[in-house]
Every structure is written in structure tokens, then in C-alpha cells.
Amino acid sequence: MTKGFGSRVALTALFLLLSFVYITPTLVGKLPSWWKGVLPTDKIHLGLDLQGGTHLVLEVDTVKAVEGALDLIATDLEDTLTAENLRYKHISRVAPDKVQLTLYDKGTADSVQAQVKKKYPEMELLSPFDEGGFVNIQLRMNDKVVQDRKDKAVSQALETIRNRIDQFGVSEPTIQREGVNNIVVQLPGIKDPKRAIDLIGKTARLEFKLVDENINAAIATPGTLPEDEELLMEKRVDQTTGAVSEIPLVVKRKAMITGDLLTDAQVRIDSQFNQPYVAIDFNSTGARLFDQVTAANVGKRFAIVLDSNIYSAPVIRERISGGSAQISGSFTEKEAADLAIVLRAGSLPAPVKIIQNVTVGPSL
């Protein structure tokens, strides 16, 4: 009886000792050098219940993801028909699930339908109809493809948010899908929740667009512009006074290059003005396009647009080869760092809206 009791006491003492050894790295700030050789060094990561933090529920606007996919199809069709010398009046998205091509004659319409069937077999080709002396063709994304796009948008948004948070440096975050369109994010022990939330929700749609200087942007309005152009604002900060002003610019609606072609983005400091900027590198496709676009538009202004805001609009002085460029603007080093993070992690496929934001205190 005494022997069995002594064994249980010894076994209990051994388990207590092992527990103390494993929990020591969590309790002790700095371990002695002799400890790190053989003994465990991993700390227990504390969740929201132990150290508090931020609990977010995000809703992905999946309709915008479908509209974005259709906009890309419309742009691709413009390039395809131009390459095939097929004349068209206008190509655009006319509904959340449709693209419309407005053509000059029926002969061209027949050729276009053949091209569309070959290139986009997943799209439903609706019957052509005449309107105002033009022939109109509509492509419709079927319900199965629409649902697949929406599902992929949520999955891609989840991975993009995870990449951003990993680069932001939050220890042991919880990021998971909930329901059809929602993503739950838990950030234990977050020091700057506002900055993290801004980083998570930024769409970060980067586009390079040509500026149309033949139109006086100061008196232009969205209703007076051609269909293929838009009015955007460039924010400028006076380095002496700190005053912020917005300069209107008219740009081509179609992006010449997008941020999908980036491979890297890093913060650099301008040695002349001691201002931060973001250096970007394109992949092989992006480098080729950037070379072609800059070569064909020397002397013109090239607007660098992020989420419909112009960061800068420099003049193309010469052909730019090598696949590198820079984004400069009136931002702090922290803002430049966050911009680099979202560009490296990729843009969200659709906007996300925070529908629940709770700051949680430690409950244990």
C-alpha cells in the first residue's frame, strides 16, 4: 500500500516538474543560454480569452467580384476584336451578369459571335438585337459560373487577408470562413487595431492609366466625359505647410497595367527629398507590357491609381525597360509600409465590409 502510494506521488511530482519545464519559456521573459540547448523553448500562444484583442467579422461583396470578372472580359474582348480588325462601337458590362457589345453591322456581328463562342464557352450568348441602327450582342454569365466566382472570391479574400496579417506580424491569429460570404478574424494582443483593420479592408486595386490632357479637368464633370474616360483626384501635400489639396485629372477608364502583374513591393527612401516611396517589380508579362506602354507614350502622363485615388501622375520621359517602377506620393513611412504589404499580398478580389468589430478583454 505504502509502496503504491509512493509511486503515485513520485509520478505526480515528475509530471509537475515536466509541466513546469514546458511552461517556463512562457513565464520567463529571457531564458538563460544553457536552457536553449536541450530544454523546450516554445512559448504558449495566448488567445483572445487570455490576453484580449480584436474580433472582426468581415463580409465579402461577392457581387463586385462577378462584376470585376465581367469588366476584365469586356477589356479582353476589346483587345481581341481590335487585333482581328473587327470594328465595334462600344463594349461594356450592362448588368451584374452581362456584357454587351454594340456593333455597326450584322456581318461583323456574325464574326464576333464566332470569336466569343470560341474564347468564352462558359458564357451564354444571347440573341442579337437591333437598337438605334446598331447590332447589340449580350453575353451572360450562367448561374453556376456566377456562384463559382462568388465562392472563389471569398476563398481568395481569406487567403489575401491571411497573407496581410502574417506580414503585419500578429502572433497566432485566427482567420476562418463563416457561412457563405463572411470571414472571422481574431487578432490576440493587437497593439494597433485601427491600423490592422485599415490594412485588412484595403481593396488595393492598383492600376496604371493614361491621363487625357486634351480635356480641361478643372471644369469637367462625370456627365460630360466620353464613356471611356473618368474623372479622378490626385492628392497633393505641401511639404512646407502640410496643406492638402486635390487636383482633378481626366484619365482613360481602361487600365493599361494592373497590380495583378506585380511580384514585389518594397519601401525605399528618396535620397533627394528624404521621402518614402514604394518600389515595385513586375513579372515577365507586366515588364513586357510596361515596356510597350511607356515606349508608345513618351511625353504623356501616366497616372498611378490605387482604389480610384491617384497617388502620382508622372510624365513618361523615356521608355522604361526592366520591369521596375515606383509609386511616390504624400504619405508617411508607415503608410508606405502598409501600401507595400497590401501590394505584396495581392489585392482583394472584391471589397470587404466590417460588419462586427469587438475589442475583447482577457476573460481568464
Side-chain angles (χ1 to χ4, degrees), residues 236-245:
R236 295 181 184 175
V237 178
D238 189 300
Q239 300 301 325
T240 305
T241 64
V244 179
S245 60

Side-chain angles (χ1 to χ4, degrees), residues 305-318:
V305 184
L306 183 72
D307 291 342
S308 298
N309 294 305
I310 298 175
Y311 267 64
S312 58
V315 176
I316 302 172
R317 300 296 182 188
E318 59 185 355

Side-chain angles (χ1 to χ4, degrees), residues 237-255:
V237 178
D238 189 300
Q239 300 301 325
T240 305
T241 64
V244 179
S245 60
E246 289 190 333
I247 310 299
L249 289 177
V250 175
V251 301
K252 295 293 184 182
R253 191 177 295 275
K254 179 183 176 183

